[in-house]
Amino acid sequence: MTAESFIILLYILVLASYVGFELINKIPPTLHTPLMSGSNAISGITIVGAIIACNVLDYGATSKWLGMLALILATINVVGGYALTDRMLKMFKKK
């Protein structure tokens, strides 16, 4: 990886982090849970990217370990999001 591509990737990471932080802060608390549980599709995309990072032969060992970490964290996020959505939907069922 060249220094130029590293700087571009670092810039994208910082910009995406800032935009994500600003968007989350603007959401009212009553909408936060439904929107976060609906973002499981984005974590699914993260899982696919992490699997690709873990399996590509040209990547170094560091990339594979980071891909495995991303895979574990994204899987926890997806499972937790669906569990939260299920719990939230049970609140609206008639007894």
Side-chain angles (χ1 to χ4, degrees), residues 66-79:
L66 289 175
M68 182 58 77
L69 179 67
L71 179 63
I72 292 168
L73 292 176
T75 302
I76 291 170
N77 189 23
V78 167
V79 170

Side-chain angles (χ1 to χ4, degrees), residues 26-60:
K26 305 256 188 273
I27 296 174
T30 54
L31 292 177
H32 192 268
T33 302
L35 287 175
M36 291 309 291
S37 64
S39 70
N40 284 324
I42 296 171
S43 290
I45 295 169
T46 306
I47 289 174
V48 171
I51 290 172
I52 291 170
C54 289
N55 288 329
V56 174
L57 297 175
D58 294 341
Y59 288 172

